């Protein structure tokens, strides 16, 4: 029997809705959700492929979790670091933060050198803007934000783009294009309180100070579905500070993140890498322990998207695996 169930796309921080098609409880594809206010039935290729990242053969073993708890008991809490990732729901992140604060573990929150901005514009503001300054290839990497930028141009907005390469989709719709540093782009343009700066990358953490001082409205577009929610809870780190913390770490806990692809770092120099993940990735390959967890398709929770809207989602299929909150509760109980 075919069923269609609604959830949120986990591919980036735009917060698109997505319908999942099930055939006798097996996920077989996706279908547009026309009434969703963010994406109005459109999903990018990453969103449509997101349901392929669930590993049904990835079995949970309670003994492995108990072994992990034993390792944590014998470790120096000040040398334990936890990756705080926007791939996790707000509820999962609250539990992870509580664990870290109660046990004195280090928190590493990083997202492409970006940090939290409390005041951001809405997607409708982007569509109705008269002047947009875009940093990064937004149309390719975040197409449903790109769609709003295209609409703004159709409405007469001027589009100024800074990116690494000419000929990208974002560069091709620009009125003015530069490929220099973000710092040069920010220093060589005239901003006002009616213009909007949209960005999904910077060259360094210091560029964020220039962005904040530009006297413009802002919309950072993060790489993970709940980066905004994560950075609302804890302070973001620069890449340099994150690498320094990793260098002083003896036990690394990775919750639903492929951290190996985030940093140019020798993770084998860390004594114990423990990964909690719904599917295999490059980080599981170098991990000492791997604990399967529920994916977002098998969970209830909420994500906060780039414009600050918190949206709830419900599971679309069942799983025998434990969720992050359940695992944190067990770890907390054993470490008391």
């Amino acid at each position: 029997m075919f069923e269609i169930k609604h959830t949120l796309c986990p591919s980036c921080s735009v917060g698109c809705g997505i319908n999942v098609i099930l055939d006798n409880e097996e996920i077989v594809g996706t279908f547009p959700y026309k009434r969703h206010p963010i994406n109005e039935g459109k999903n990018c290729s990453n969103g449509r492929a997101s349901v392929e990242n669930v590993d049904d053969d990835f079995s949970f073993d309670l003994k492995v979790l108990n072994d992990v708890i034993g390792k944590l008991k014998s470790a120096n809490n000040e040398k334990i670091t936890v990756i705080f990732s926007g791939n996790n729901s707000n509820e999962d992140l609250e539990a992870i933060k509580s664990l870290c604060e109660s046990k004195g573990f280090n928190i590493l929150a990083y997202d492409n050198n970006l940090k939290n901005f409390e005041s951001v514009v809405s997607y409708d503001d982007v569509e109705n803007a008269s002047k947009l300054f875009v940093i990064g290839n937004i149309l390719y990497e975040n197409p449903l934000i790109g769609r709003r930028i295209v609409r703004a141009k159709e409405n007469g907005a001027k589009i100024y783009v800074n990116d690494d390469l000419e000929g990208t989709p974002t560069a091709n719709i620009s009125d003015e294009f530069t490929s220099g540093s973000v710092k040069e782009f920010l220093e060589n343009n005239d901003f006002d309180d009616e213009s909007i700066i949209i960005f999904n990358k910077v060259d360094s953490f210091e560029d964020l100070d220039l962005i904040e001082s530009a006297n413009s409205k802002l919309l950072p577009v993060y790489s993970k579905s709940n980066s905004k929610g994560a950075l609302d809870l804890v302070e973001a780190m620069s890449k340099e500070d994150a690498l320094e913390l990793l260098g002083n770490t003896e036990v690394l806990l990775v919750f639903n993140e492929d951290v190996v692809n985030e940093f140019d770092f020798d993770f084998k120099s860390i004594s114990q890498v423990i990964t909690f993940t719904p599917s295999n990735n490059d980080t599981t390959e170098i991990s000492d322990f791997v604990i399967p967890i529920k994916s977002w398709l098998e969970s209830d929770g909420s994500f906060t998207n780039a414009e600050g809207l918190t949206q709830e989602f419900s599971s679309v299929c069942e799983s025998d695996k434990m969720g992050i909150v359940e695992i944190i509760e067990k770890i907390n109980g054993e470490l008391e």
Side-chain angles (χ1 to χ4, degrees):
M1 182 179 69
F2 279 96
E3 289 183 276
I4 295 178
K5 295 187 177 181
H6 181 65
T7 186
L8 295 176
C9 177
S11 298
C12 73
S13 67
V14 177
C16 297
I18 191 167
N19 280 333
V20 178
I21 306 170
L22 298 99
D23 182 9
N24 292 321
E25 301 184 358
E26 179 182 351
I27 296 169
V28 295
T30 64
F31 188 79
Y33 181 61
K34 299 292 186 182
R35 296 190 306 277
H36 197 274
I38 301 297
N39 54 309
E40 300 168 339
K42 305 293 184 182
N43 291 111
C44 70
S45 58
N46 288 333
R48 293 192 297 271
S50 61
V51 297
E52 299 172 6
N53 298 326
V54 178
D55 192 342
D56 293 329
D57 297 325
F58 208 39
S59 59
F60 175 79
D61 186 344
L62 184 59
K63 180 182 181 302
V64 179
L65 178 57
N66 289 331
D67 290 342
V68 165
I69 293 171
K71 293 292 183 183
L72 294 177
K73 286 180 177 180
S74 62
N76 179 352
N77 286 6
E78 295 180 355
K79 294 289 185 177
I80 298 175
T81 297
V82 180
I83 302 295
F84 203 77
S85 169
N87 286 331
N88 299 307
S89 71
N90 287 308
E91 295 72 20
D92 292 339
L93 292 171
E94 289 277 10
I96 294 169
K97 181 182 178 183
S98 177
L99 171 70
C100 293
E101 290 179 343
S102 65
K103 307 305 178 189
F105 299 165
N106 303 297
I107 297 177
L108 195 163
Y110 172 80
D111 197 301
N112 291 344
N113 263 339
L114 301 181
K115 68 177 183 180
N116 186 43
F117 295 83
E118 291 186 7
S119 179
V120 297
V121 299
S122 70
Y123 302 158
D124 287 343
D125 290 333
V126 171
E127 189 170 325
N128 295 312
S130 59
K131 195 186 319 184
L132 295 174
F133 295 87
V134 182
I135 302 172
N137 190 6
I138 299 285
L139 266 72
Y140 179 77
E141 295 168 9
N142 310 101
L144 275 303
I145 296 290
R147 191 165 177 243
R148 304 292 182 122
I149 296 173
V150 170
R151 286 179 176 174
K153 185 175 179 66
E154 291 172 347
N155 292 334
K158 295 294 183 181
I159 313 294
Y160 304 83
V161 173
N162 178 261
D163 196 14
D164 296 331
L165 299 172
E166 294 187 38
T168 66
T170 311
N172 286 338
I173 71 156
S174 66
D175 294 285
E176 292 186 18
F177 173 81
T178 59
S179 58
S181 70
V182 173
K183 183 175 184 291
E184 292 170 335
F185 178 72
L186 293 169
E187 290 178 342
N188 294 332
N189 277 292
D190 294 323
F191 302 95
D192 57 48
D193 57 8
E194 293 302 314
S195 57
I196 297 175
I197 303 174
I198 307 174
F199 53 103
N200 64 6
K201 67 168 191 172
V202 292
D203 295 330
S204 71
F205 213 55
E206 288 71 27
D207 289 338
L208 301 178
D209 293 332
L210 289 174
I211 288 174
E212 286 188 294
S213 64
N215 190 35
S216 289
K217 301 171 184 176
L218 306 177
L219 181 64
V221 185
Y222 303 99
S223 62
K224 303 177 181 75
S225 55
N226 198 35
S227 292
K228 174 67 173 167
L231 300 182
D232 279 343
L233 289 173
V234 301
E235 187 174 349
M237 279 188 173
S238 67
K239 177 173 274 190
E240 290 76 15
D241 288 344
L243 289 171
E244 182 179 353
L245 177 55
L246 288 171
N248 292 314
T249 295
E250 293 179 358
V251 178
L252 182 67
L253 300 181
V254 184
F255 288 95
N256 196 16
E257 179 62 82
D258 194 2
V259 69
V260 165
N261 290 318
E262 292 279 348
F263 301 101
D264 183 13
F265 180 81
D266 180 14
F267 285 92
K268 292 183 179 179
S269 66
I270 298 175
S271 298
Q272 300 286 330
V273 178
I274 303 165
T275 298
F276 304 83
T277 178
S279 59
N280 280 306
N281 54 42
D282 289 341
T283 300
T284 62
E285 293 297 314
I286 58 93
S287 296
D288 299 281
F289 295 92
V290 177
I291 310 294
I293 60 172
K294 291 180 179 179
S295 72
W296 98 101
L297 287 170
E298 301 156 331
S299 306
D300 301 330
S302 65
F303 293 149
T304 302
N305 72 354
E307 65 176 346
L309 176 66
T310 297
Q311 303 178 90
E312 295 183 353
F313 59 91
S314 299
S315 63
V316 302
C317 55
E318 300 297 324
S319 172
D320 293 331
K321 305 184 189 86
M322 294 177 71
I324 288 177
V325 172
E326 296 172 272
I327 287 173
I328 295 295
E329 288 175 349
K330 181 169 178 58
I331 291 174
N332 256 325
E334 294 292 336
L335 294 184
E336 288 179 352

